[in-house]
Every structure is written in structure tokens, then in C-alpha cells.
Amino acid sequence: MIMEVKKFKKVLVANRGEIAIRVFRALSELGIGSVAVYSKEDRYALFRTKADEAYPLNPDKGPVDAYLDIPTIIRIAKEKKVDAIHPGYGFLSENPEFAEACRKNDIVFIGPNVEAMNIMGDKISAKRAAEESKVPIIDGSDFIIHDVDTAMKIADEIGYPVMLKASNGGGGRGMRIVQSQEEMEEAFEKSRNESKRVFGEAKLFIEKYLIHPKHIEVQILGDNYGNIVHLYDRDCSLQRRNQKVIEFAPAWSISEETRKKILDSAKRLARRVGYTNAGTMEFLVDEEEHPYFIEMNPRIQVEHTVTEMVTGIDIVICQILIAEGYPLNSPTIHIYSQNEIKCTGYALQARVTTEDPANHFLPDTGKIDLYRSGSGGGIRLDGGTAYTGAVITPHYDSLLVKVISHDRTFENAIHKSVRALKELRIHGVKTNITFLINVLNHETFHKGKCFTTFIEETPELFELHYKLDRTTKILEFLANKMVNVNPGPKPFLENRKVPVIDTERKLFGTRDEFLKLFYTKYKESIDRNIAKQEAKKADLDSRFDSMLQRLKTYNDKINHDH
């Protein structure tokens, strides 16, 4: 095997927030320069200050469209002599046109090759590849559906309920559960619009909707030389409206036999499409523990952190090194075989957001008046927008910080997560912290029996008991009372007189004295002043000692008399 390694000097991250900071940190550890790009809405965002360089995107574009602007991103990369681009997750991370634009401009795309992305980045072609690899899939369409009549016809054939999904999407966006034909028209239009808004295209397909499945995914790493390994699995069943809320690794919640089937299927499918770099194979497992492949995310995942905790492998650094040309079994990456990858302990990730659970998880906006993070042994925090003084806008995802715990037992990992969430203090915007604690403390979660609609079907999770922010409220009350509510005329405090400055008088300062005396005499003058100050201090010390002696004598006399 001939190893072709191209060391990067500078990498641009075509993303924002938490994942941008995550990649910047990996680049820093590797000694590679980092470049950020930002929209006009993000001009004061924290992530842009964490890069070595930061450049604005097209100010005429909207908050999302700016990060989807391929020509501008490529132009900045070429002007700043960038070697590679890391797309993060979301935005352009699954866009083959972006990967192709990088290749045409001699910029390395840190992700899979264009051919694999065309197959696996599109959920329909990914399902076809799965069938060819003898990996089980869910019944549904294997083509893009352009109109609601076709959607209704397929749904009638496979039977309701069905799931509408965006072929080129992820993160639960563009997905709708349709229970009956009467719901189809409205759901189809909403899915199309959301897919167009988030991913730039409205490409939908239909699958049979499974009742109470578990969502299990497998982390894949592949190099440019045909080596492919898995980094075990994750249970991502705790979701709300198809968006993950809490994830954990490994997926001990299903049987070892089913886990083995899923892990083998994931590697087989990745090898079938010649997959390179990091990716995630996602499966649904029904109540009889039959696994079904649903999609592959050809990028880093939000929940990659739990896999890093249990395997000890830095997935983002591996992404960069693979893109440079290192094989997995090189001393640099140090993954010599599948058998050498060990899964140690249990890790959980809770996503803290500005969503209000008491108001249908409506995202809140505003200024964070106070931010104090939880920490301690076994806790990792990945954030990018949460800090005191940060302004939360409505333009982007509501994620504030990811709280990750790791311990030898699942129960202890839960306890660490709960403790860290209770330590977390965020004032000024509403958050889902209390809701997350309710989920973590629920008996069903402890038993690993949660399914994808567990949150919607468990009303006791919404019995929210918020902490009273007494300190801030008292300060606000006092300030308001003193400034705004003080009855009667305001007290007269002082008669301020502005001093009159004689602009005609010539000032003589230290610099003038130095120029007049020159160095030697100026130094002698300073030494004389120092000597005077020391003599004055010695005189004061002598008087102070004398006073202390008198006080001591007086005190001794009083004690003797008594």
C-alpha cells in the first residue's frame, strides 16, 4: 500500500456554533490553522473568535442562505489559501455539489468522496444500496415523490401510518408522520416547504411508520485504502418530533444478537459503497427486535461525543487525518484493526436548548443574563452559544450546550448527568433543563426501554418544577425601586461645578523635566525623591513603633492594677 499524505496548513470550517468550535479545537491540537466564516447575524458570535482567522459571508444573503452559499465559501477558501474545508453537520455537509466544487478547486473536502455521498447522502439511493448489500429496509417508495396524489397512492399500498421524509436531509427536518389520507395533503406541503428551506431542495419519499421502534445508529470510519471499522453503536431513541434529545452509548438496550446484526450490516454496507471518512448508519428496531436500515448520515453527528467517550477515539481528528491521506492502521491514527477498538463504560449526552417544554418547546430568544456551567469528574461540555451576555437569536438551532457524562455503569452516568444539569445556571432565556432531568430520572429510561415516541406518550415528563432565581429577582426589584419607583422629587445630591481649565497656561510634566535634566541628573532627582520617601517612611515606622510600645505599657499597667 502506497500512502499518499498531504499535510494541511489551513482548514476552513463551513459551519457555525458548537460544531465549528469542536473542529477548531481539533485543528489546534493538530497544529493546523483554522478559518471561520460567518453570516451578518453571527458577526458577534462566539465561534468566530475561536478561529485563527474569520471572514464574513455574503451580507445580502439570509441567515441560513449565507451558509449555503457555495460560490462565496469557495472564493474565501481560495483567497485565503485554504487546503481543506470541514463542513460540520447540517448546512452543506451532505451536499454533493459542495464536495464537487471543492474537488474542482483543488480543495480537500473533509468527508466522504462525491461518489459515496451521492449514494449515501440521498436516502433513496442509500436504501437501494442497502437492498443490494442484503441489509433489511422498511417498506416504502424508492423514488422521489413530486405530488400529493402519488404520495397518497403509495401510502394506500403500504398502509397507514406512514412517514414523509426529506431524501437529502437529517436532524428530523422535513419529516412528518401521517396517520390517515385526510392528513396527507397538509403534511406533504409542510414537509416540502421545510425541506426546501433547510436543505435547499424539496425531495420527499415515503416509508411505513413503525410503532414504538428504537433508533440505533452505528459510527463508521473508513480510510482511502479500503479499511473500514465501526466504533460501536448508540441508542438515540429519545426524540421529540424526530429530533434527538438524549443519546447514549453503547446501545445496551437491545440484545447482543441484534447489536451484532446491526454492526455487521453497517460495515457491509459501508464497504459496498466504498465509504471513506466518518459516517453514521441509522437503523430502527421494532418491538420484535427486527432491525431495519433507514439512512446514512455521511458526516459527523451531533452525538458523536458519546462514542468518543466510550472508545477514546477522537472522531473529528480522525476525519482530518483520513482526509490528509493517513490510513486507519497508521501509527498516526492508531486503529490497527476492529478487534483493537474497545468499548469502555457508558456515556450519555443531553442537549440543553432554549426551548420551553411548558409551551410546546417553543424556542426562546433574548440575552443570557447569567451562565454558569456544571462540571466535575466524568463531565464534558460542548457548547458554542452559551455564555453570560450572549444574545440568542431566532435565526438558528436552539442548542446551547451538550452535557456529556461518562462512567463505568449506566446508572452512575445518569447520576453524573443529573448532577451536572442541576449545577447548570442559565438565566435570561427559558431552557429545557428541568425537562431533561425528568427524563433522566424516569424509570423507563433507567431500564433502557425508551422508544422514539416515548416523550409524546409520557405526560409526567412535563411536570416541571422550576428553580426560583431569587438573587436576580431581588436585585432587579431593588434597582427598579431605587430608580423608577422612588416617590416624590428626587433628592438633591450635590451642586456640581465644572472646573475651569486655563488653556493658556503652559504645562510642565515628567517628560519636560526629563528633557531638561537629561538622563543622569533626572535619575539623581528620582533617587533623591526615593530617599526622601524612604526617610519619611522610616520616621512614620518609628513613630508607629513608639505608639505601639506606649499602648502595650498602658495595657500592662491596667492589667496589673486589676
Side-chain angles (χ1 to χ4, degrees):
M1 178 181 67
I2 300 175
M3 187 171 66
E4 298 179 6
V5 175
K6 176 189 175 184
K7 299 280 285 183
F8 299 149
K9 294 181 180 178
K10 190 185 293 187
V11 172
L12 183 148
V13 180
N15 218 296
R16 64 177 302 280
E18 166 266 327
I19 187 58
I21 293 176
R22 172 71 184 88
V23 180
F24 295 153
R25 286 170 172 161
L27 293 169
S28 177
E29 291 175 28
L30 292 171
I32 299 171
S34 56
V35 177
V37 290
Y38 58 92
S39 66
K40 61 180 181 294
E41 290 80 8
D42 275 337
R43 60 190 178 276
Y44 301 123
L46 177 66
F47 77 91
R48 59 163 293 199
T49 68
K50 300 294 184 181
D52 298 320
E53 305 172 32
Y55 303 100
L57 293 164
N58 188 343
D60 297 328
K61 297 283 186 178
V64 174
D65 289 342
Y67 290 100
L68 299 174
D69 185 3
I70 295 175
T72 299
I73 293 172
I74 294 295
R75 174 183 59 77
I76 293 172
K78 291 178 69 176
E79 287 177 357
K80 307 309 172 185
K81 295 181 171 53
V82 162
D83 299 304
I85 294 178
H86 194 299
Y89 54 70
F91 294 128
L92 294 170
S93 62
E94 298 181 55
N95 190 317
E97 294 178 10
F98 184 48
E100 181 63 28
C102 291
R103 183 162 68 179
K104 286 181 178 178
N105 287 277
D106 295 324
I107 299 168
V108 177
F109 178 81
I110 301 179
N113 57 56
V114 176
E115 293 74 23
M117 184 177 284
N118 276 319
I119 298 172
M120 302 309 288
D122 182 90
K123 294 176 176 58
I124 293 175
S125 58
K127 288 178 67 175
R128 292 177 187 149
E131 282 188 292
E132 293 170 2
S133 304
K134 294 182 170 52
V135 174
I137 61 172
I138 301 172
D139 289 340
S141 65
D142 59 355
F143 55 89
I144 301 295
I145 299 172
H146 298 285
D147 58 85
V148 70
D149 292 334
T150 305
M152 287 183 177
K153 181 181 178 182
I154 295 170
D156 288 338
E157 291 174 359
I158 63 177
Y160 288 94
V162 296
M163 174 78 84
L164 286 169
K165 302 176 77 171
S167 176
N168 56 339
R173 301 299 182 88
M175 298 173 68
R176 293 289 187 282
I177 300 169
V178 186
Q179 300 286 353
S180 64
Q181 193 176 82
E182 290 72 29
E183 297 179 10
M184 179 61 80
E185 187 170 353
E186 182 183 356
F188 188 84
E189 195 60 31
K190 286 182 178 179
S191 290
R192 278 179 58 87
N193 291 341
E194 186 174 18
S195 178
K196 175 69 175 175
R197 185 177 72 254
V198 178
F199 307 114
E201 292 180 288
K203 299 166 67 177
L204 302 182
F205 70 104
I206 285 182
E207 284 183 341
K208 176 68 179 175
Y209 178 69
L210 300 181
I211 305 297
H212 292 171
K214 296 187 78 63
H215 185 125
I216 308 297
E217 60 187 35
V218 179
Q219 180 68 59
I220 292 292
L221 276 182
D223 63 22
N224 302 330
Y225 310 95
N227 301 307
I228 291 177
V229 296
H230 68 70
L231 305 185
Y232 293 95
D233 44 12
R234 303 185 281 256
D235 188 325
C236 305
S237 301
L238 267 164
Q239 304 176 9
R240 187 191 66 82
R241 296 177 185 172
N242 304 304
Q243 289 190 294
K244 297 159 190 171
V245 177
I246 296 175
E247 307 95 347
F248 61 83
W252 62 271
S253 49
I254 57 176
S255 67
E256 285 299 316
E257 181 183 355
T258 304
R259 288 184 67 199
K260 188 175 187 308
K261 285 181 184 177
I262 290 174
L263 294 173
D264 291 344
S265 294
K267 279 185 69 174
R268 189 165 67 250
L269 181 53
R271 200 176 299 281
R272 159 72 179 75
V273 299
Y275 195 81
T276 57
N277 217 274
T280 304
M281 301 285 187
E282 303 203 355
F283 296 79
L284 290 181
V285 179
D286 66 18
E287 293 176 303
E288 287 76 39
E289 287 222 348
H290 297 133
Y292 301 95
F293 171 79
I294 52 171
E295 65 183 36
M296 181 180 194
N297 287 311
R299 54 173 170 80
I300 194 74
Q301 292 273 89
V302 180
E303 61 273 18
H304 73 278
T305 54
V306 291
T307 297
E308 291 183 331
M309 298 297 275
V310 295
T311 63
I313 294 173
D314 190 312
I315 297 171
V316 177
I317 283 182
C318 286
Q319 279 191 293
I320 298 165
L321 293 175
I322 289 169
E324 285 186 325
Y326 288 100
L328 293 176
N329 55 10
S330 66
T332 307
I333 298 181
H334 204 74
I335 301 176
Y336 293 107
S337 70
Q338 182 67 64
N339 293 334
E340 289 197 4
I341 302 172
K342 304 300 179 184
C343 191
T344 305
Y346 300 83
L348 285 80
Q349 174 178 276
R351 305 187 189 193
V352 177
T353 68
T354 58
E355 296 171 332
D356 182 8
N359 190 18
H360 307 287
F361 289 92
L362 187 71
D364 195 15
T365 59
K367 182 180 179 181
I368 296 178
D369 298 322
L370 171 69
Y371 178 80
R372 186 167 70 246
S373 63
S375 58
I379 294 296
R380 165 180 169 179
L381 302 174
D382 277 26
T385 56
Y387 57 92
T388 299
V391 176
I392 306 302
T393 70
H395 305 302
Y396 302 107
D397 188 270
S398 58
L399 180 66
L400 283 180
V401 61
K402 303 186 302 191
V403 179
I404 306 105
S405 66
H406 181 243
D407 200 275
R408 292 183 301 146
T409 68
F410 188 67
E411 283 292 317
N412 286 342
I414 293 175
H415 298 328
K416 287 183 186 296
S417 289
V418 171
R419 186 259 302 160
L421 288 169
K422 285 182 177 179
E423 289 180 359
L424 197 57
R425 294 287 184 275
I426 302 175
H427 298 161
V429 292
K430 294 180 174 67
T431 72
N432 65 338
I433 292 174
T434 303
F435 172 77
L436 292 173
I437 292 173
N438 285 356
V439 175
L440 290 168
N441 284 331
H442 201 281
E443 182 182 5
T444 304
F445 180 74
H446 283 244
K447 292 179 178 179
K449 293 185 177 180
C450 293
F451 44 87
T452 55
T453 54
F454 173 74
I455 289 175
E456 287 86 345
E457 298 178 24
T458 313
E460 59 264 32
L461 297 177
F462 295 88
E463 296 174 2
L464 307 170
H465 304 285
Y466 294 105
K467 292 181 179 178
L468 296 175
D469 181 17
R470 294 186 181 92
T471 305
T472 304
K473 288 182 177 179
I474 289 171
L475 290 173
E476 287 178 351
F477 172 79
L478 292 173
N480 184 59
K481 191 76 173 173
M482 294 171 64
V483 176
N484 300 321
V485 192
N486 190 17
K490 303 294 182 185
F492 181 77
L493 300 177
E494 61 177 315
N495 184 18
R496 295 185 178 179
K497 292 184 178 180
V498 179
V500 179
I501 300 174
D502 184 1
T503 56
E504 300 297 325
R505 183 166 64 90
K506 187 176 180 181
L507 300 176
F508 186 83
T510 305
R511 179 176 181 274
D512 299 298
E513 186 176 4
F514 176 79
L515 294 174
K516 178 182 177 182
L517 300 176
F518 295 107
Y519 173 76
T520 304
K521 290 186 177 181
Y522 183 71
K523 183 177 181 303
E524 290 173 356
S525 173
I526 291 176
D527 290 340
R528 283 195 299 272
N529 286 333
I530 292 174
K532 288 179 182 178
Q533 294 297 328
E534 289 178 347
K536 187 182 291 186
K537 182 177 179 297
D539 182 55
L540 288 172
D541 289 344
S542 175
R543 294 185 183 188
F544 185 70
D545 290 341
S546 176
M547 184 180 68
L548 285 178
Q549 187 60 42
R550 290 178 184 179
L551 286 172
K552 184 176 182 304
T553 303
Y554 180 72
N555 187 59
D556 291 343
K557 183 177 182 302
I558 291 175
N559 290 335
H560 182 268
D561 292 342
H562 285 282

